[in-house]
Amino acid sequence: MSTHAVRDQTPLTRTPAPSGMHSFFALAAIVGTQLMLLLDATVVNVALPGIGTHLGFSPTGMSWVLNVYTLAFGGLLLLGSRIGDLIGRRTALVWGVSAFTVASIAGGVANDATTLLIARGLQGAAAALAAPSTLALIATSFREGGERNRALSVFSAISGAGSAVGLTVGGMLTDWGSWRWVFFVNIPVGVAIVLLAPRFIKETERHRGGRFDIAGALTGTLGMASLVYAFIRVGESSWTDARALTTFVIAIALLASFLINETRVERPLVVLRLFTDRNRALAYGVMMLLPAGMFGVFYFSTQYLQTYLGYSPLKTGFSFLPLAGPLFLAARAAPRLLARYGAKRVATAGSLLTLAGGVWMTRLSASDGYAQGILPTLVLMGVGMGCTMMPLNTFILSGVEPKDAGSASGLLQTMQQVGGSLGLSVLVTVFGTVSRHHRQEPFIHGATAAFTMAAVFTSVALLLVLSLRQPRQHVLR
C-alpha cells in the first residue's frame, strides 16, 4: 500500500547510469524488489483457507501468517535502513532479496504451523533490509529530470497497486498449483534480481559511524508482537484470559522501554522530534489507521468469498481487480488533483470514499452476492486509497530538515506495516468475541462486527485528515 519507500539520508554517488537497456534492467531490479515485498503482504490472503486446513490453524490463528510478516517488516525497517548506510544500498538490496528468497523456500516446504511462521518472520526481516534501498537506488541509477521522473512514475504506480494485485496473483497461484506456490513464486523473481542488481545498479557511498539501535529494534518489535498476540489471544479465549492479560502488561512495559530508549540513544530508530509538527503527527496517525482497516477487509473478504459464495482461489483473486484498477488510476491522477485542489481537499475526498466503502461492507450478509456485497466496497476503497496516500506523504515530508528526510519517510512505511498488523489483530479479536456468541452464521456476525470496527478506524482517520492544515508548499511532484 505504500507509494514511497524509505528515502536515503546518506550522501549518494550520483553517477548516472547508461541509458537504454542498462537503465531498463536497473529499473526492473529495483521495481521488482518493491513489488515482490509488497505482494507478499497480501498474496497469502487468498491462500489462507488452504493453509489453515493443511497446517491446522484456527480461524483467528490464521491471522498470524500475515501479522508475523508485517510485524518483522515494520519493526525492523528503520534498522534495515541504518544497515544500508553502512554496507551500501545495492549490497543491502541484494542481501535482503537473497535472504527473502531463502525464507520463501522455507515457507513453501513448511509442514507445520511453527515452521511456516518462522519463515514468515524471516521474510519480514529480509524485506526490512531490502526495502529502504529501492527509492535511493533510483536516485543513483537515473539522471535527474525526465529520465528519473519516468522511473519514479513507474515505481509509484507499481507501489500503489502492488498490495491489491497480490490478492489476484495469490488466487492464480493457489488455484493452478497449491498454497505453497505463493511462496515458491518468489524464487525466480529473487534470483533474477540478485543477478541483475550487481551488473546494472551502481553501489552507493558507504556511511560509517554511529551505532545500531539494537535495543530500540528489539523492544519496539517485541512490544508490538506482544500487543498483537494479546489481542489475538483474547479473540480465541476471552478478556479474562490470564495469559492475554499478562501479555498486555509485557507489551506495555516493552513499548515504554522503547520510547525511553529512543530519547537517550545517539541514532534512534524513531526520531521523536518528527512528531512535534502537528500536521506530520496527524498524518502519521492516518497512515496507521487506514491500513488497520484495509488489512481486515482483505482478510475477511477472502474468507467470505470462498466460504459463503463458494469461489475458487482463482475467482477470489480476480474478484479484487476492481480494487487494484481504480487504486492504480487514482494514484496516477493524484499529483494533478493535488496541484489543482490542494493536499487537504484531495486527502479528505479520498478518506470519505474509503469510509463509504467500509460502511457498505458492514451491511454484508450471507445471502449477498459479489456484485451487491463486495464490489461497491472495492471500487470505493480503491479510488479512496489511491487519492489519499500521496497527499498524506506531502504532509509528512513538508518542512522536514534534510537530515531527517530518511527517518521521516522510513517512519511512514513503518506506520503502515505496524498499523496494518495491529489493526488486523484488533479486528480478529472483535471477530472471535462476537462469533462465539452466535450459533447461527457465526462467521457473518463476527465479520460484520470486524468490518464495523474497521469503519471506526477509517472514521477516526477522516477526523484527523479534517484537522490537518494545508501545507504551504507541496514537496512531492
Side-chain angles (χ1 to χ4, degrees):
M1 295 175 67
S2 173
T3 58
H4 294 272
V6 181
R7 292 189 176 183
D8 193 16
Q9 62 185 126
T10 65
L12 298 177
T13 303
R14 297 188 178 277
T15 302
S19 57
M21 293 303 293
H22 195 115
S23 295
F24 173 82
F25 284 118
L27 183 61
I30 295 169
V31 173
T33 299
Q34 178 75 354
L35 182 60
M36 182 172 67
L37 303 183
L38 287 175
L39 284 178
D40 223 69
T42 56
V43 71
V44 177
N45 268 280
V46 180
L48 282 176
I51 293 174
T53 301
H54 190 262
L55 300 185
F57 282 99
S58 67
T60 53
M62 279 193 298
S63 63
W64 275 110
V65 180
L66 305 177
N67 280 334
V68 167
Y69 178 79
T70 54
L71 278 172
F73 191 177
L76 299 175
L77 189 67
L78 297 175
L79 181 62
S81 181
R82 178 69 187 97
I83 294 174
D85 290 344
L86 181 64
I87 66 176
R89 293 295 177 182
R90 187 188 68 186
T91 301
L93 183 141
V94 171
W95 286 11
V97 170
S98 299
F100 188 91
T101 305
V102 172
S104 297
I105 296 173
V109 301
N111 284 316
D112 59 81
T114 301
T115 302
L116 179 63
L117 294 181
I118 292 173
R120 290 290 283 168
L122 293 174
Q123 279 186 309
L129 178 59
S133 298
T134 51
L135 196 59
L137 288 172
I138 286 182
T140 63
S141 301
F142 298 90
R143 290 184 292 268
E144 188 173 1
E147 182 179 296
R148 187 177 299 171
N149 290 338
R150 287 190 293 272
L152 287 171
S153 176
V154 173
F155 180 88
S156 298
I158 293 297
S159 298
S163 296
V165 171
L167 296 164
T168 304
V169 174
M172 295 167 63
L173 294 171
T174 304
D175 202 62
W176 294 343
S178 74
W179 64 264
R180 298 184 184 278
W181 281 100
V182 301
F183 297 100
F184 290 149
V185 71
N186 293 323
I187 300 172
V189 178
V191 170
I193 293 169
V194 169
L195 293 176
L196 288 173
R199 182 175 180 182
F200 295 101
I201 299 177
K202 187 176 181 63
E203 182 61 281
T204 63
E205 182 178 341
R206 294 173 173 85
H207 182 76
R208 307 287 179 178
R211 297 181 177 180
F212 293 136
D213 185 10
I214 300 297
L218 289 176
T219 55
T221 304
L222 292 176
M224 289 304 304
S226 299
L227 191 59
V228 168
Y229 173 80
F231 275 117
I232 294 176
R233 178 74 183 181
V234 168
E236 293 179 334
S237 54
S238 70
W239 284 99
T240 60
D241 182 79
R243 183 181 298 180
L245 296 176
T246 300
T247 310
F248 273 123
V249 173
I250 294 173
I252 293 171
L254 286 169
L255 293 174
S257 299
F258 170 76
L259 292 176
I260 294 171
N261 177 80
E262 297 306 279
T263 64
R264 296 179 176 179
V265 297
E266 178 185 358
R267 294 178 66 96
L269 291 181
V270 177
V271 181
L272 296 179
R273 63 176 172 271
L274 291 172
F275 292 94
T276 60
D277 181 270
R278 179 177 180 273
N279 267 3
R280 190 177 301 116
L282 291 172
Y284 277 137
V286 178
M287 280 295 194
M288 281 195 69
L289 289 166
L290 289 180
M294 286 295 293
F295 273 47
V297 170
F298 292 158
Y299 181 77
F300 291 108
S301 293
T302 54
Q303 296 184 56
Y304 171 80
L305 289 172
Q306 294 187 51
T307 302
Y308 282 89
L309 300 188
Y311 281 22
S312 67
L314 178 62
K315 191 174 181 180
T316 299
F318 276 101
S319 297
F320 283 93
L321 284 178
L323 173 71
L327 196 156
F328 179 87
L329 295 175
R332 295 283 286 166
R336 295 190 296 274
L337 295 173
L338 187 147
R340 181 171 182 178
Y341 298 107
K344 181 175 179 177
R345 289 181 179 178
V346 177
T348 300
S351 300
L352 280 169
L353 289 171
T354 304
L355 177 60
V359 171
W360 186 284
M361 190 70 90
T362 63
R363 56 187 294 278
L364 190 69
S365 68
S367 60
D368 284 342
Y370 170 75
Q372 180 181 348
I374 302 294
L375 179 60
T377 292
L378 297 181
V379 174
L380 289 169
M381 284 191 165
V383 177
M385 295 296 289
C387 289
T388 303
M389 289 303 175
M390 186 174 180
L392 289 176
N393 286 327
T394 299
F395 282 107
I396 288 172
L397 297 177
S398 179
V400 173
E401 296 291 331
K403 64 180 180 179
D404 292 332
S407 296
S409 191
L411 186 57
L412 181 156
Q413 198 174 42
T414 298
M415 287 289 186
Q416 291 178 309
Q417 297 295 331
V418 172
S421 185
L422 183 59
L424 179 58
S425 68
V426 173
L427 298 184
V428 166
T429 300
V430 172
F431 168 83
T433 302
V434 173
S435 63
R436 283 197 304 271
H437 294 87
H438 290 84
R439 294 183 178 180
Q440 294 185 341
E441 304 290 356
F443 176 86
I444 290 295
H445 287 289
T448 52
F451 289 140
T452 301
M453 180 57 69
V456 171
F457 290 152
T458 310
S459 298
V460 177
L462 174 60
L463 293 177
L464 296 183
V465 170
L466 293 173
S467 300
L468 291 167
R469 296 169 182 165
Q470 182 68 34
R472 294 181 181 179
Q473 61 180 352
H474 305 311
V475 298
L476 296 177
R477 299 290 183 184

